[in-house]
Amino acid sequence: MSRRSWVRPLIAMGLVAVTAMVSACGTSGPGESNAGALKIWALEDPVLNKIENKSIDSFKAGGGNASLETFGNDPYKQRLRVAIGSPQAPDLFFNWGGGNLKEYVDAGKVADLTSVLEENKAAKDAFIPSVLNGAKLGDKYYGVPMRGMQPVLLFFNKKVFTEAGAQPPTTWDELLTLVDTFKAKGITPIALAGTQAWTELMWAEYVLDRVAGPEVFKNIRDKGPEGWKDPAVVESMTKLKDLIDRGAFGSNFASVGYDAGGASTILAQGKAAMHLMGSWEYTNQLDQSPDFVKNGDLGWVAFPSIPGGKGDAGNLVGNVSNFYSATQDSKSLDAAKKFVTTELHKDSYVEALIEAGDVPPVVGAEEKLKKSPNPEYASFIYELVLESKNFQLSWDQDLPADKATSMLTQLQEFFLGKVSPQQFVDAVAAR
Amino acid sequence: MSSQRPSAWYAVPAFAFFALFAALPMLLVIYLSFTAWDGLGTPTLNGGENWSRLLDDAEARASVWRTLVLMVVSWLVQTPIALLIGVWAAGKQRSRAVLSSIFFLPLLLSTAAIALLWQALLEPNFGAFVGGPLFLGDPDIALYTVVLVISWQFIPFHTLLYQGAARAVPPSLYEAATIDGASRVSKFRHITLPQLRYTIVTSSVLMLVGSLTTFDTVLILTNGGPGTATRILPLHMYITGFSGFEMGYASAIAVVLVVLGTALSLAVMRWSGFRQMSSQQEGS
């Protein structure tokens, strides 16, 4: 075959490639027909998405226009990351506040909502200040709460406790005693879904907070990984190691998951006595083991205090709330601002959240919470948050993604006993 | 001359597809491996920082090692089983046909389904082996559990390759051997195995390169856990890139994967004489 006969096919090849690329780019350009509609992105949730859509209907009734798109947890984080600097970016996006939001703020992608909240005092004052602060970075507000508050609580199986003649723990030492009590009875003292590092993280968060107060972590978040070298971190991790080595979590937690058939089920079936989990565990149990909840066997208490520790026993960790933030480059920024200052504290929205079992982050909801399907539980959480001096956002949400990821890896190694408290600190401080 | 072979035009779609979806992304990944990019904003060049970090990254080294273990062990497990069952299934007896079609069932299941199935089966509180070894929870055996699941999934495919190849062995060879009084075992050794040589090469390349890039099964089954016991290189890349959003560093890992995969298939081809491949049957 002569050389020349190759030339034309080669050129054709190039043309095909170029055409394909151009046409691929063409679709991402502007020219969407639904211009002016507020594009809202949120996390998928069969119950809450309906309520969020109702708030959009209410916004439309007021002359606005908006639409909701929802995604599963991990795909959401990835999509948001890729989309936020592009023409495909949403106008309002769901987030967890804290350091996670800070990455987007630092990149100049998030609109400052301070002035619009100051102008709409009614909106600003409607929310519990400590929750609103979850999306406050420096002295500016970058988000408005839009779902319920989800502190982490210590759940327990009342039946198992009664049979053992035991009381739920109020102090760390009581917790240690309970571990021995249940171990002797062949019951896993504490259920732990160890395949997912965030369940282990809840323990690390609470123990550090109780031992040394919230400042140690705030220091890590604000001043960088050097903050991990605070001696309080090794001290709290040593306490936690003691708990793990006592067999508090049983021997097989490393392959237990949080989904059906996992940690929640062994609590419901009485194979485990306690379970530290976010407040969503209640609805989760109601869904998966309805009889367990309806018979009144599911109990809950705040995390025990650690005597001699500096942290206030009322401090909480967990998801402070979820927030809507507006993108800086949005063409509908004014509409977005209007949405977050009018729709999210409306009585109808708040009541719908309560009826769905959520505990909305608004002030003066005591009366409304009586309409909750589980009023006792909802009021407990509401009071807990109102009385807490500090509500720490989950560390993995409050740190930049790269630091959070390596911390979670180290934490799993720690729970397996492959890494000592000091080695944990050295590893996370080095990043 | 040119009328004997298809014109080069025929290759245009394939080449364009390859350029767009393989060569171009690969070049982009090489570029990204020299940048710092968190997925937001634009990538900024940071010289060889990702690469020097890769050299110091104990976790990356450990995950390369795990990948190699996974690769070698699953080759060692899969090849003999697939070969023996394949040759057995090549027989024309009806019972063999029935059993083979049952045996090929895993081929019909999606990877996600297989991973979820085994995860449920090996669940320590509600699975099939309650009180037994912690297949997915013990860092010392979790990697071998992954090998087991991957083998369960892929042995049927390789069996199919061997079955087809074994059926293509000319019966005359066996007839001649029978006349010479060869035993079953020596027929297998001296006829079947040499005749299947190139199938063994093909299947081995598929297995080795396949386990180098195995990802979905491990992601769903263990997500690299317990701890980092099953965090193989592709998973390390994914976690770095899509949980930590360190796209530059993840790209450096991706380049390593591409280089390893290419080197591996070249090595197998060369070492096995695949290039001089020709039919060993009579008449050619």
Side-chain angles (χ1 to χ4, degrees):
Chain A
M1 189 184 278
S2 72
R3 259 194 83 185
R4 270 201 60 168
S5 65
W6 275 103
V7 175
R8 275 171 43 182
L10 259 179
I11 294 171
M13 239 145 60
L15 278 178
V16 170
V18 169
T19 322
M21 277 168 72
V22 169
S23 56
C25 295
T27 54
S28 63
E32 305 226 336
S33 57
N34 204 7
L38 208 54
K39 199 154 95 177
I40 304 177
W41 280 13
L43 210 62
E44 205 167 72
D45 185 301
V47 180
L48 296 177
N49 288 156
K50 278 184 209 147
I51 300 171
E52 281 144 18
N53 269 319
K54 274 193 196 137
S55 73
I56 287 175
D57 292 341
S58 145
F59 185 62
K60 281 179 180 162
N65 191 8
S67 66
L68 181 73
E69 258 186 274
T70 62
F71 308 90
N73 189 49
D74 287 355
Y76 177 73
K77 290 178 184 166
Q78 292 166 13
R79 259 193 96 129
L80 183 67
R81 195 87 178 188
V82 178
I84 204 145
S86 79
Q88 305 284 319
D91 301 303
L92 277 179
F93 65 96
F94 170 103
N95 62 78
W96 291 262
N100 192 276
L101 179 61
K102 186 170 185 289
E103 281 188 276
Y104 293 107
V105 171
D106 289 346
K109 305 291 183 195
V110 186
D112 178 4
L113 299 175
T114 317
S115 57
V116 72
L117 279 171
E118 293 302 338
E119 286 159 21
N120 295 278
K121 269 283 173 202
K124 190 186 172 195
D125 294 343
F127 297 104
I128 300 173
S130 68
V131 176
L132 194 58
N133 284 349
K136 188 179 182 185
L137 298 163
D139 50 2
K140 291 175 179 161
Y141 293 100
Y142 288 97
V144 180
M146 47 72 73
R147 279 189 189 176
M149 308 180 286
Q150 299 176 322
V152 172
L153 307 173
L154 186 65
F155 292 89
F156 63 97
N157 186 322
K158 282 187 189 166
K159 208 169 156 194
V160 172
F161 267 72
T162 315
E163 280 164 11
Q167 291 295 319
T170 57
T171 66
W172 186 255
D173 292 334
E174 286 176 26
L175 182 70
L176 295 182
T177 315
L178 284 173
V179 167
D180 296 336
T181 310
F182 289 118
K183 256 179 71 181
K185 298 190 64 139
I187 294 169
T188 303
I190 305 167
L192 179 70
T195 56
Q196 281 137 318
W198 53 263
T199 62
E200 300 172 339
L201 184 64
M202 292 170 169
W203 283 94
E205 289 163 351
Y206 261 132
V207 176
L208 179 61
D209 191 284
R210 292 286 188 270
V211 165
E215 289 73 25
V216 179
F217 180 76
K218 288 198 164 45
N219 202 28
I220 294 166
R221 184 192 63 191
D222 298 335
K223 301 200 179 124
E226 277 294 303
W228 287 108
K229 291 190 177 155
D230 190 311
V233 180
V234 172
E235 191 193 334
S236 70
M237 294 301 270
T238 307
K239 268 197 181 322
L240 190 50
K241 184 165 175 51
D242 176 38
L243 188 70
I244 300 166
D245 290 347
R246 278 170 186 257
F249 302 105
S251 56
N252 63 16
F253 64 85
S255 47
V256 174
Y258 181 62
D259 304 319
S264 303
T265 315
I266 56 175
L267 180 76
Q269 295 189 350
K271 290 180 182 168
M274 296 172 269
H275 186 201
L276 188 68
M277 193 33 70
S279 62
W280 58 83
E281 173 73 350
Y282 185 95
T283 21
N284 187 41
Q285 290 283 9
L286 196 61
D287 185 44
Q288 286 177 18
S289 314
D291 292 340
F292 173 55
V293 183
K294 282 176 192 151
N295 295 343
D297 289 336
L298 178 65
W300 55 84
V301 286
F303 193 82
S305 67
I306 295 184
K310 289 190 201 125
D312 189 275
N315 286 349
L316 296 173
V317 307
N319 282 344
V320 179
S321 181
N322 298 121
F323 301 88
Y324 274 144
S325 296
T327 46
Q328 180 65 45
D329 300 332
S330 161
K331 291 192 192 80
S332 323
L333 191 53
D334 288 336
K337 284 178 176 171
K338 184 165 177 245
F339 186 93
V340 294
T341 49
T342 55
E343 296 303 330
L344 301 179
H345 62 282
K346 265 196 182 157
D347 278 349
S348 56
Y349 187 69
V350 168
E351 278 159 18
L353 283 178
I354 289 174
E355 276 161 30
D358 256 24
V359 184
V362 294
V363 293
E366 288 87 350
E367 281 303 309
K368 289 189 183 117
L369 282 168
K370 288 181 180 152
K371 281 192 202 152
S372 165
N374 8 280
E376 187 199 350
Y377 180 69
S379 303
F380 175 81
I381 291 176
Y382 193 70
E383 298 297 322
L384 210 58
V385 175
L386 283 185
E387 281 162 23
S388 69
K389 296 205 174 75
N390 189 67
F391 193 163
Q392 172 61 48
L393 174 64
S394 304
W395 293 354
D396 55 344
Q397 304 288 2
D398 211 8
L399 290 173
D402 55 340
K403 306 241 172 0
T405 303
S406 63
M407 173 191 69
L408 291 175
T409 304
Q410 290 301 324
L411 195 65
Q412 284 195 303
E413 296 284 75
F414 171 78
F415 266 78
L416 287 172
K418 300 219 152 193
V419 158
S420 72
Q422 188 60 49
Q423 284 168 322
F424 173 83
V425 168
D426 292 344
V428 287
R431 284 301 312 281
Chain B
M1 271 277 289
S2 60
S3 62
Q4 287 173 4
R5 283 166 177 271
S7 137
W9 283 97
Y10 284 63
V12 168
F15 270 99
F17 196 80
F18 181 78
L20 197 63
F21 292 105
L24 188 70
M26 224 168 336
L27 290 176
L28 279 177
V29 162
I30 293 174
Y31 163 71
L32 280 179
S33 73
F34 290 98
T35 66
W37 188 35
D38 62 0
L40 292 166
T42 44
T44 46
L45 286 169
N46 67 350
E49 213 173 280
N50 294 327
W51 291 97
S52 56
R53 181 177 158 196
L54 189 59
L55 290 178
D56 292 337
D57 186 351
E59 192 45 55
R61 240 173 296 140
S63 58
V64 170
W65 175 246
R66 280 176 217 124
T67 310
L68 291 176
V69 171
L70 180 85
M71 200 158 75
V72 171
V73 178
S74 47
W75 184 81
L76 285 175
V77 171
Q78 289 184 52
T79 304
I81 300 180
L83 182 62
L84 288 175
I85 301 183
V87 171
W88 177 83
K92 299 272 192 270
Q93 295 87 333
R94 175 164 294 179
S95 59
R96 295 191 183 186
V98 172
L99 280 175
S100 317
S101 48
I102 294 174
F103 188 69
F104 290 146
L105 274 180
L107 272 179
L108 302 176
L109 299 176
S110 80
T111 305
I114 289 174
L116 289 173
L117 194 97
W118 278 93
Q119 197 182 43
L121 205 63
L122 301 176
E123 218 280 340
N125 293 304
F126 304 98
F129 305 96
V130 176
L134 296 168
F135 287 103
L136 294 173
D138 183 341
D140 296 328
I141 58 176
L143 191 59
Y144 301 100
T145 310
V146 169
V147 170
L148 183 91
V149 174
I150 290 178
S151 303
W152 186 83
Q153 178 180 7
F154 287 109
I155 284 177
F157 171 73
H158 294 282
T159 304
L160 207 58
L161 290 183
Y162 285 119
Q163 186 198 29
R167 282 196 174 151
V169 177
S172 54
L173 296 179
Y174 292 110
E175 284 155 15
T178 313
I179 292 168
D180 290 344
S183 70
R184 206 174 255 265
V185 175
S186 61
K187 272 192 257 180
F188 178 77
R189 265 196 64 191
H190 298 292
I191 301 173
T192 318
L193 269 189
Q195 287 288 324
L196 292 182
R197 186 176 167 194
Y198 298 127
T199 312
I200 296 175
V201 174
T202 309
S203 142
S204 299
V205 171
L206 286 175
M207 266 180 217
L208 294 175
V209 178
S211 16
L212 189 68
T213 52
T214 302
F215 169 70
D216 33 13
T217 316
V218 190
L219 177 77
I220 300 171
L221 192 65
T222 67
N223 195 14
T228 54
T230 58
R231 191 186 282 193
I232 50 177
L233 197 58
L235 202 61
H236 188 51
M237 171 186 78
Y238 174 80
I239 291 171
T240 312
F242 288 98
S243 294
F245 292 106
E246 299 180 89
M247 295 296 182
Y249 186 50
S251 298
I253 302 176
V255 173
V256 171
L257 267 175
V258 170
V259 171
L260 278 182
T262 316
L264 191 72
S265 37
L266 286 179
V268 176
M269 297 286 186
R270 201 179 181 95
W271 166 74
S272 60
F274 191 75
R275 280 170 174 281
Q276 299 97 49
M277 197 183 256
S278 57
S279 172
Q280 294 189 333
Q281 290 170 14
E282 53 183 333
S284 61

